[in-house]
Amino acid sequence: MSTNIVTTRRSMLFGMASATAVLAGCATERSRIANPPAPQPVTRPVTAPSDAELAVMYGPVSDGGFLIPAIPYRQMDPKFYRQRVVDPTGEAPGTVIVDTPKRFLYVVEPGGTAMRYGVGIGREGFAWQGEGVIHWRQAWPRWKPPREMVARQPELERYSIENGGMEPGLKNPLGARALYIFQNGQDTLYRLHGNPEWRSIGKAVSSGCVRLINQDVIDLYERVPYHARIVVWQ
């Protein structure tokens, strides 16, 4: 057998082996792409806050030039503490739900949990239900009582819309934050807002929409983006 024939045969065998290796490599890559690892679900502990955590959550807060006093949380019903729970709503993550009858507000999280807050519901809070978007948010807002409220309580005239409303501050009924709800591009006059009256949480109150403890509304404000979907149950 000539040297040229041996060389040619060796070249063919080497080429076939190389092609096989390449194909084997491609098959391995395709297998990896076709069977990617399953994403791990987001998990968060669902436990009631400890007393140490509550002391921090509801302790004094310096914010926007104001010192918000501590909340005597031990005098509250524990079910209205801010806490993570198993999501009872079935809504998409990022959705805000107000359960008016039970006095809870939820922010749905990925992975089947939700952050839950206790709320107080005012007269205006019982007047609207359905879906909307949080179209505007404001830190330390001015309070401008509607004309209907001024008509019922003439002493509020100095805070009317025409007079520019009440200055931001600890006594302002809107508290440290306000989130304004719109539907079909129109202001519903429905608000999620802070309030200094911690005793009103979990109750039906004489005025306002949906009120939270100031410490809680600051936390809510950080979790809820502009144009978040909101659903209100009556």
Side-chain angles (χ1 to χ4, degrees), residues 47-58 73 81-82:
T47 57
S50 67
D51 194 69
E53 291 171 328
L54 289 167
V56 174
M57 287 165 52
Y58 295 124
Y73 60 88
Y81 295 156
R82 182 200 325 162

Side-chain angles (χ1 to χ4, degrees), residues 1-220:
M1 185 179 294
S2 68
T3 302
N4 288 338
I5 293 174
V6 171
T7 302
T8 300
R9 183 174 294 174
R10 286 177 178 172
S11 298
M12 290 175 63
L13 291 172
F14 178 76
M16 291 172 63
S18 298
T20 301
V22 170
L23 289 172
C26 289
T28 301
E29 292 303 314
R30 282 198 296 270
S31 176
R32 289 175 183 171
I33 294 171
N35 299 287
Q40 296 300 309
V42 177
T43 57
R44 298 177 177 86
V46 180
T47 57
S50 67
D51 194 69
E53 291 171 328
L54 289 167
V56 174
M57 287 165 52
Y58 295 124
V61 176
S62 179
D63 181 88
F66 301 100
L67 181 61
I68 301 171
I71 298 298
Y73 60 88
R74 291 188 182 91
Q75 299 180 39
M76 294 173 55
D77 186 330
K79 71 180 180 182
F80 294 122
Y81 295 156
R82 182 200 325 162
Q83 56 191 291
R84 179 167 285 113
V85 298
V86 175
D87 173 38
T89 72
E91 297 288 352
T95 306
V96 178
I97 297 94
V98 179
D99 186 341
T100 302
K102 293 184 178 179
R103 312 289 195 264
F104 289 138
L105 183 151
Y106 299 91
V107 179
V108 181
E109 301 172 323
T113 60
M115 188 60 72
R116 188 182 77 188
Y117 306 81
V119 298
I121 306 293
R123 181 185 291 109
E124 289 81 1
F126 286 105
W128 187 81
Q129 66 178 342
E131 296 188 22
V133 296
I134 296 174
H135 187 68
W136 190 43
R137 308 183 312 158
Q138 185 67 43
W140 294 103
R142 299 180 74 90
W143 178 55
K144 300 176 182 179
R147 293 181 178 87
E148 294 80 6
M149 182 180 290
V150 173
R152 294 194 304 266
Q153 300 173 261
E155 68 274 14
L156 299 179
E157 175 63 33
R158 59 177 174 161
Y159 303 129
S160 66
I161 296 171
E162 292 77 11
N163 289 327
M166 179 187 283
E167 291 283 342
L170 296 177
K171 295 183 179 181
N172 188 304
L174 292 183
R177 302 287 189 275
L179 294 85
Y180 299 77
I181 313 308
F182 281 57
Q183 186 180 55
N184 300 323
Q186 300 296 316
D187 187 355
T188 63
L189 302 180
Y190 192 85
R191 316 282 187 244
L192 312 178
H193 62 86
N195 194 274
E197 298 177 12
W198 60 269
R199 291 182 179 85
S200 67
I201 300 304
K203 299 177 181 178
V205 294
S206 61
S207 62
C209 294
V210 176
R211 61 172 63 174
L212 297 86
I213 295 170
N214 276 323
Q215 282 87 338
D216 281 351
V217 82
I218 290 173
D219 182 86
L220 176 70

